[in-house]
Amino acid sequence: MNAIALPDIFEADVAGRTVLVRADLNVPMHHGVVTDATRIIRFAPTVAALQQRGAKVVVLSHLGRPKGTHNPVHSLAPVANALSQELDTPVRFGSDCVGGAAEAVSRTLEPGSVAMLENLRFHEGEEANDRAFAYLLSANGDIFVNDAFSCSHRAHASTDAITRLMPSYAGPSLLAEVEALTLALDDPDRPVAAVVGGAKVSTKIDILTHLVSKVDFLIIGGGMANTFLAVFGHDVGRSLYEPDALATARRVLVQAQKHNCEVVLPNDLVVARDFAANAPSEVAPISAIPSDAMALDIGPASLESAIGVLERCRTLLWNGPLGAFEIEPFGRATFALAQAAAGLTAAGRLLTVAGGGDTAAALGAAGVADRFTYLSTAGGAFLEWLEGKQLPGIAALTSPESAMENI
């Protein structure tokens, strides 16, 4: 994806106007209580800044997969309460996102006040990208803002169709994400390294194929590394690998050579007979993996090699762990490499951008989640950007219709 210029909501006059803000507040819940408020905490500054500028703020979001039915389990009411606590200001709640219940809230707000409307996905029109549903949403405001990068890989009514019905802008969280990914992938300070881990090559074919044309070093770990090792004729014992993906791995290697991208594979592995916490383990060279053992982490020599690559680079993209980090002691390489990357970031030697659910969890477990240049909370949208795909919610903000409205 090429670098793009997006209309910035903070260049618009919002005083006294009702601003519809699409957020991603799809947060974990248990018995009607928010159990992880990270997304709410990250989003709150967007609302606070609009409040300070005299806007009337109406928040739109989805929660879970209610599939077009009004299911109380998926109500955003608890999320509105959590946002109110974070902002230290009342957040009114509309029992629907369209129609009379929504408009009764959105049309009676005062400048600087905040409301949240009920789950967008209670209506089938949301995921169908239905223009009529988007029109009903647009009745709740004067200006639309997409501040949900993590939802922008889907062409839904609240990310796509609505932009053709009202003046539309990008919010600060979305802009920050696009800027970070553009700096890391489209306009990087070289050399660039990418760390890609995870279980299967088959789930990351497009990412690997795209990255080898963009980066100087591709460090491969996790279960997918075993498939690449098998390409070179190594017996990986009982390790997870994909015989059906061997041809794909070969193609990735060929493309990497074509683009002068150095693929960095493990040369030693931490292996164990049992996939269990604190199972007896040993370090084995890739040429001598015991037939009854499985690889669960990269070894110390491989870790040293990976750190050496990072020390030579100026930019790092990271998606996926190097081993089974959730189980002691098989997260040691992931944690050590993450800490090395964080140290280089702090020293001003490396720009670090990471994303994906497992990646965020691994960096959190390593204690460095807040020490990378940027850690994306997006899942599918982050991965599709790494694949070089155009994201509908981003493209919609640069469409001729939106551009004309923003003038």
Side-chain angles (χ1 to χ4, degrees):
M1 179 177 289
N2 296 322
I4 48 180
L6 295 172
D8 186 342
I9 184 56
F10 288 104
E11 294 177 357
D13 181 8
V14 299
R17 305 180 77 184
T18 303
V19 181
L20 292 180
V21 186
R22 176 56 159 107
D24 183 1
L25 302 181
N26 185 26
V27 296
M29 303 269 289
H30 184 67
H31 296 312
V33 177
V34 175
T35 56
D36 182 349
T38 301
R39 288 184 172 180
I40 296 170
I41 293 168
R42 283 194 169 196
F43 173 64
T46 295
V47 178
L50 288 169
Q51 286 181 279
Q52 290 168 6
R53 296 173 64 208
K56 308 170 188 179
V57 184
V58 177
V59 181
L60 306 174
S61 183
H62 73 280
L63 180 68
R65 298 178 182 274
K67 299 181 179 180
T69 62
H70 196 293
N71 186 338
V73 171
H74 297 296
S75 174
L76 281 168
V79 179
N81 291 334
L83 178 61
S84 176
Q85 293 173 11
E86 184 63 27
L87 292 170
D88 194 25
T89 190
V91 174
R92 293 178 62 186
F93 184 69
S95 59
D96 204 345
C97 59
V98 293
E103 293 174 26
V105 172
S106 63
R107 294 184 178 182
T108 56
L109 292 175
E110 297 294 329
S113 58
V114 183
M116 181 181 293
L117 301 183
E118 186 56 282
N119 195 336
L120 292 161
R121 291 186 180 174
F122 282 176
H123 296 266
E124 292 181 348
E126 163 63 358
E127 293 186 84
N129 199 22
D130 182 69
R131 184 181 177 88
F133 178 67
Y135 180 80
L136 294 175
L137 286 176
S138 72
N140 293 302
D142 306 308
I143 297 171
F144 172 72
V145 177
N146 185 349
D147 204 35
F149 177 88
S150 54
C151 300
S152 295
H153 62 310
R154 298 287 182 258
H156 289 172
S158 67
T159 58
D160 182 28
I162 195 171
T163 67
R164 287 178 282 281
L165 299 171
M166 59 197 307
S168 299
Y169 296 84
S173 297
L174 184 144
L175 287 168
E177 187 115 16
V178 169
E179 180 183 8
L181 293 176
T182 299
L183 281 174
L185 194 58
D186 298 308
D187 187 26
D189 191 2
R190 293 190 176 275
V192 184
V195 172
V196 180
K200 295 182 178 182
V201 174
S202 58
T203 62
K204 297 193 176 180
I205 294 170
D206 291 341
I207 291 176
L208 295 169
T209 302
H210 186 59
L211 285 180
V212 295
S213 70
K214 292 284 190 175
V215 305
D216 303 293
F217 299 92
L218 178 62
I219 301 168
I220 297 179
M224 69 171 61
N226 302 326
T227 301
F228 282 90
L229 293 176
V231 167
F232 291 99
H234 295 293
D235 183 348
V236 296
R238 292 173 49 229
S239 304
L240 173 67
Y241 91 105
E242 296 176 280
D244 294 342
L246 291 174
T248 299
R250 289 190 188 96
R251 286 195 296 272
V252 171
L253 293 169
V254 169
Q255 287 299 309
Q257 187 174 32
K258 175 183 175 182
H259 292 285
N260 297 313
C261 171
E262 181 179 334
V263 177
V264 182
L265 293 170
N267 50 40
D268 64 344
L269 297 161
V270 177
V271 302
R273 273 72 181 175
D274 298 308
F275 184 58
N278 299 307
S281 61
E282 61 189 272
V283 176
I286 57 174
S287 59
I289 300 171
S291 60
D292 62 343
M294 65 190 84
L296 296 174
D297 199 2
I298 67 171
S302 302
L303 171 62
E304 184 178 352
S305 175
I307 291 174
V309 169
L310 299 196
E311 290 175 340
R312 296 161 57 189
C313 289
R314 295 288 299 164
T315 303
L316 171 67
L317 269 167
W318 189 323
N319 174 247
L322 301 175
F325 75 94
E326 306 95 335
I327 301 176
E328 177 67 28
F330 307 115
R332 291 179 182 176
T334 298
F335 301 157
L337 188 63
Q339 289 158 1
L344 291 167
T345 304
R349 295 173 54 189
L350 191 66
L351 181 144
T352 47
V353 176
D358 285 347
T359 310
L363 298 187
V368 299
D370 59 349
R371 295 173 58 198
F372 271 47
T373 307
Y374 193 84
L375 176 58
S376 172
T377 59
F382 179 85
L383 297 179
E384 289 194 18
W385 189 290
L386 293 189
E387 293 169 358
K389 294 179 179 177
Q390 186 177 61
L391 308 189
I394 305 297
L397 294 175
T398 62
S399 67
E401 294 98 327
S402 293
M404 289 176 64
E405 291 281 9
N406 290 329
I407 293 175

